[in-house]
Amino acid sequence: MLKIRNLHVAVDGKEILRGITLDVNAGEVHAIMGPNGSGKSTLAYLLAGREGYAATEGEILYDGRDLLALEPEERAREGVFLGFQYPVEIPGVGSMNFLKSAVNAVRKHRGQPELDAMDFLKLARQTMKLLEIDEALLSRPLNVGFSGGEKKRNEVFQMAMLEPRLAILDETDSGLDVDALKVVAKGINALRGETRAIVLITHYQRLLNYVVPDQVHVLADGRFVKSGGKELALEIEDQGYAALGLRDNSAAA
Amino acid sequence: MAAKTDTSEAYVHRFAEAKATLAGHGLPWLAGLRERAIERFAALGFPTRRIEEWKFTDLRALTRTTFSPAPRLANGVTGDAVGRFLPADLPSHLLVFVNGHHRADLSDVGELPAGVRLCGLAEALAEAPELLEEQLCRDGALDGHAPLALNTAFMTDGAVLMLARGVALERPVHLLFLATGDEAPAVAHPRNIIVAEAASRATVIETYAAPAAGAYWTNAVTDIVMEADASVRHVKVQAESHDAFHLAVTRVRLAKGSAYNSFVASVGGRLARNEITAVLGEGVECRLGGVYLARGRQHLDTTTLIDHARPASFSNEHYRGVLDDSAHGVFQGKIIIRPDAQKTDAHQLNKNLLLSRTAHVDTKPELEIHADDVKCSHGAATGALDAEALFYLRSRGLDTDLAQRLLIEAFVGEIIDEVETTALRAHLRRVAAAWLTQVNK
């Protein structure tokens, strides 16, 4: 589904990713771990199409198509979803109104009939129940005044509603207490399936106790330095990044 | 009098021809007032950008043309055309004017409670002129303001609303001014007079619109006198034709304990200026808000003066502008706090969203503080749409147009939400949405 080949990415003229190669197949869950400043979020933003993130070398194929040639909204409609590390607060834009527009934009693209207000609400309520989200939260403007945990839960809620084929979740576990983490994991696991792939970007191993990955990759200084099965995550948990000879450079993001 | 390069002399000549036929021409006090007004106008001429208050608004496109008095039409506008401009689900006492002339056949005043007078100015001048003399001849009635003087010389009609002591008007009063913009460029000088006696309450909606395209000029003046503890909510929608000029002055006098709340949505006109002057008595509350949405080569000017003349009053101003293409926005907000106005609490905020590189806005706060025990704040911010928010919305599948539209609607909607009545909020949101739909066509 996703093929990344020798990807180099520069931001503001500085090379952040320095030759990444990765294959993610349908049905798989991959975890990308790494210290702060290793380039994890840069990879996430590049996949979603954020302005200012340009590949200087290499390619990304999504279902055989050049992903980087697509606009952010085209990627979303083709089934790519980015769960933001820092979901953006947008005053004045109602959460539900926004999500209904998004769901219908995606459905329209897939040749599915658009949902009317009633059907949308029904679907949203089922999903909210699964994710233990208070309906009152979503009557507020998008992410405005949400706690950190509420924002992350809202990202997973949006993901569940949009039913992406490739979900990239950027530090969706950070700032969550154990209960919230379990709920978020439940949402992610509900999305798992033969036709879908999930990329979890995380600094810590604990989410991986609940969403067990097929492969784990360690990113450091813009390169994958180690790949393995789920045990690799536990190794990092036990011994830290330093044991792999990596420094945790929090100065860069 | 200095030689004028504009058409002001043409209006002076036209006044000489027309004065014998103007509304209330048999009233000596009014004839005298009109004479003084045209003299004042002749001395002032049209304002140029050399005058500080007009620095950002160039009237030459207006003053190159001599506008004829707008004709009184017996028909030509239908009830359907009127309906388009009324808020949904909000029955009102409706007065309709076409080209500045009251049209009883299109109006629907309905039943008024005892103590409320609502009628056309021409009618009031014919039937009860003694009620208007004090209002029209008030000190400072002419000031140094040329369009105001011209309005006073030529005013033919407008609305008169008088609320007796303690009367609360439940339904809003809607003053709807429609222009037909026929071949010859025409000007209407509506003059509205609102008097709210002690402890009375009312909501007034003022709408300026055109059922069809056309070039014309509306030169409106609205005077609002509020006695002690009166409360007036005032919503204005300026949706003139895109070839029209709209100059409007609203003057509000607030006596002790009164409350005035204004919201202006300005979306129409080739050049429009909404001017509000409020003189505040003791312990009053004055809230001014509004949005101006412009595109193409539109020029929309919001100029306010809040004069804290007496102690312990509160004023708050919050205007937002959205400017696309080569549109030009102007916000001038002057706050005067007089020596006597201790314990004043005054706030002003102006935010602008520029949607193109060639759109521009001039924003000028002006604070003149002569008292020491006051709270006063002002702020202005101008910027483009938030790139991060735009990306977030697009990353969920919304195309750029829709994402932009949601963000603009949010920017405008946040301030519309400050309007109290649900039906009025919905109406204002529709006005903004209509403008937005044109953006994305």
Side-chain angles (χ1 to χ4, degrees), chain A:
Chain A
M1 180 182 287
L2 182 70
K3 282 184 194 301
I4 300 179
R5 290 286 172 272
N6 187 32
L7 182 70
H8 291 250
V9 176
V11 180
D12 296 331
K14 185 173 174 245
E15 189 163 60
I16 306 289
L17 295 181
R18 304 188 294 153
I20 282 187
T21 294
L22 179 69
D23 281 291
V24 179
N25 298 310
E28 293 178 351
V29 174
H30 289 240
I32 296 177
M33 301 184 68
N36 289 332
S38 58
K40 302 191 300 291
S41 286
T42 298
L43 179 61
Y45 280 141
L46 184 83
L47 289 169
R50 189 186 173 121
E51 218 173 297
Y53 289 73
T56 49
E57 210 182 319
E59 63 175 3
I60 303 178
L61 296 177
Y62 173 65
D63 285 338
R65 296 174 63 187
D66 178 7
L67 183 73
L68 299 178
L70 301 177
E71 295 292 327
E73 60 268 33
E74 292 172 321
R75 299 182 197 194
R77 290 172 194 177
E78 290 291 342
V80 178
F81 178 90
L82 170 64
F84 281 58
Q85 182 180 4
Y86 302 109
V88 185
E89 295 192 10
I90 309 187
V93 171
S95 298
M96 290 299 256
N97 183 31
F98 147 72
L99 190 56
K100 180 164 167 277
S101 303
V103 166
N104 280 333
V106 169
R107 289 179 68 92
K108 196 173 162 192
H109 182 76
R110 292 176 187 162
Q112 295 169 321
E114 295 184 31
L115 296 179
D116 64 23
M118 288 299 287
D119 288 340
F120 172 78
L121 201 60
K122 208 171 135 193
L123 182 66
R125 283 193 173 133
Q126 286 168 4
T127 313
M128 277 184 243
K129 211 169 158 191
L130 172 81
L131 295 172
E132 298 173 29
I133 288 177
D134 185 358
E135 201 172 325
L137 189 70
L138 297 173
S139 66
R140 305 221 299 252
L142 191 50
N143 292 323
V144 177
F146 287 29
S147 70
E150 286 168 339
K151 282 181 184 167
K152 296 301 175 75
R153 228 184 282 195
N154 189 31
E155 293 292 287
V156 177
F157 171 64
Q158 291 176 28
M159 178 183 76
M161 293 293 291
L162 291 167
E163 302 185 306
R165 294 181 50 238
L166 172 64
I168 303 133
L169 298 172
D170 189 4
E171 308 241 358
T172 300
D173 53 338
S174 65
L176 298 183
D177 61 31
V178 163
D179 291 334
L181 187 72
K182 284 181 183 167
V183 170
V184 160
K186 189 162 72 169
I188 299 170
N189 285 325
L191 193 79
R192 283 182 93 149
E194 286 303 302
T195 57
R196 299 205 167 100
I198 296 169
V199 177
L200 302 172
I201 293 175
T202 180
H203 187 91
Y204 301 105
Q205 183 272 341
R206 58 181 198 145
L207 175 66
L208 308 181
N209 289 333
Y210 304 99
V211 184
V212 180
D214 299 297
Q215 288 189 45
V216 175
H217 313 274
V218 179
L219 186 67
D221 283 333
R223 288 195 183 96
F224 286 134
V225 294
K226 200 162 182 183
S227 291
K230 60 184 179 199
E231 5 20 274
L232 180 56
L234 291 169
E235 204 180 300
I236 291 169
E237 171 81 353
D238 283 349
Q239 300 164 25
Y241 289 106
L244 291 170
L246 306 175
R247 67 203 150 80
D248 207 346
N249 174 16
S250 333

Side-chain angles (χ1 to χ4, degrees), chain B residues 8 10 27 51 55 91 146 164 176 240 255 296 298 354 378 381 424:
Chain B
S8 54
L27 300 165
I51 295 171
K55 195 162 91 182
L176 175 58
E240 303 270 26
Q298 265 183 297
L354 301 182
H378 71 92
L424 281 176

Side-chain angles (χ1 to χ4, degrees), chain B residues 1 8 35 77 90 94 105 108 139 156 203 205 217 289 296-297 313 343 345 349 353 360 375 391 414 417 425-426 440:
Chain B
M1 189 174 100
S8 54
E35 290 289 353
V77 172
L90 190 65
L94 174 68
D105 59 318
D108 182 9
D139 278 354
T156 47
T203 296
I205 306 165
W217 173 22
R297 302 188 61 80
S313 283
K343 306 280 181 200
D345 190 359
L349 185 59
L353 198 50
H360 112 251
K375 268 197 264 178
F391 171 63
E414 270 191 306
D417 281 348
R425 277 200 302 274
N440 285 353

Side-chain angles (χ1 to χ4, degrees), chain B residues 129-425:
Chain B
E130 68 285 356
L131 293 176
L132 299 174
E133 182 174 356
E134 184 196 343
Q135 306 307 332
L136 287 169
C137 297
R138 204 174 278 282
D139 278 354
L142 294 174
D143 294 337
H145 195 289
L148 170 61
L150 197 63
N151 173 288
T152 304
F154 280 99
M155 60 185 166
T156 47
D157 215 339
V160 173
L161 171 64
M162 292 187 167
L163 303 159
R165 168 182 284 268
V167 170
L169 199 47
E170 220 167 278
R171 292 184 173 187
V173 169
H174 194 160
L175 314 177
L176 175 58
F177 293 87
L178 299 176
T180 58
D182 297 310
E183 304 81 52
V187 55
H189 300 277
R191 182 70 167 243
N192 303 310
I193 295 169
I194 297 169
V195 179
E197 287 186 12
S200 63
R201 306 170 67 86
T203 296
V204 178
I205 306 165
E206 214 181 328
T207 301
Y208 294 83
Y216 59 88
W217 173 22
T218 301
N219 183 39
V221 175
T222 299
D223 282 323
I224 304 177
V225 175
M226 302 179 57
E227 294 184 359
D229 303 317
S231 165
V232 171
R233 278 198 271 155
H234 188 186
V235 168
K236 174 175 169 179
V237 176
Q238 185 281 106
E240 303 270 26
S241 137
H242 279 288
D243 297 316
F245 295 91
H246 179 94
L247 300 182
V249 180
T250 301
R251 296 183 299 178
V252 194
R253 304 170 75 97
L254 292 98
K256 190 171 179 176
S258 61
Y260 176 70
N261 191 326
S262 153
F263 191 93
V264 180
S266 189
V267 295
R270 159 185 178 178
L271 182 152
R273 171 158 158 136
N274 287 295
E275 232 177 292
I276 300 178
T277 301
V279 181
L280 278 52
E282 187 174 342
V284 311
E285 189 179 301
C286 176
R287 291 176 189 272
L288 309 182
V291 293
Y292 41 94
L293 314 175
R295 73 163 67 80
R297 302 188 61 80
Q298 265 183 297
H299 178 102
L300 300 183
D301 174 334
T302 296
T303 293
T304 65
L305 167 62
I306 296 184
D307 185 345
H308 283 267
R310 305 278 303 140
S313 283
F314 170 84
S315 70
N316 189 64
E317 265 186 283
H318 187 173
Y319 288 89
R320 289 189 177 188
V322 179
L323 304 153
D324 200 357
D325 304 329
S326 298
H328 184 186
V330 177
F331 173 77
Q332 302 185 100
K334 186 169 181 176
I335 299 174
I336 302 175
I337 302 178
R338 308 240 175 226
D340 200 21
Q342 299 294 357
K343 306 280 181 200
T344 287
D345 190 359
H347 305 277
Q348 182 189 89
L349 185 59
N350 175 230
K351 286 186 169 186
N352 297 285
L353 198 50
L354 301 182
L355 301 180
S356 96
R357 284 174 196 282
T358 44
H360 112 251
V361 65
D362 289 296
T363 174
K364 191 178 101 182
E366 209 182 334
L367 309 181
E368 217 183 281
I369 303 175
H370 305 285
D372 45 22
D373 183 14
V374 301
K375 268 197 264 178
C376 191
S377 72
H378 71 92
T382 296
L385 284 172
D386 180 357
E388 218 185 334
L390 208 51
F391 171 63
Y392 187 73
L393 297 177
R394 291 176 71 198
S395 79
R396 299 299 182 247
L398 305 188
D399 61 39
T400 310
D401 276 357
L402 181 57
Q404 283 183 345
R405 199 195 141 132
L406 280 181
L407 293 178
I408 300 166
E409 238 169 28
F411 179 77
V412 171
E414 270 191 306
I415 178 165
I416 289 176
D417 281 348
E418 292 175 13
V419 174
E420 262 179 52
T421 313
T422 313
L424 281 176
R425 277 200 302 274

Side-chain angles (χ1 to χ4, degrees), chain B residues 53-75:
Chain B
E53 291 81 8
W54 293 85
K55 195 162 91 182
F56 302 117
T57 294
D58 188 339
L59 286 184
R60 279 179 301 180
L62 171 77
T63 60
R64 271 199 292 269
T65 306
T66 306
F67 292 80
S68 315
R72 179 190 294 278
L73 295 181
N75 46 36

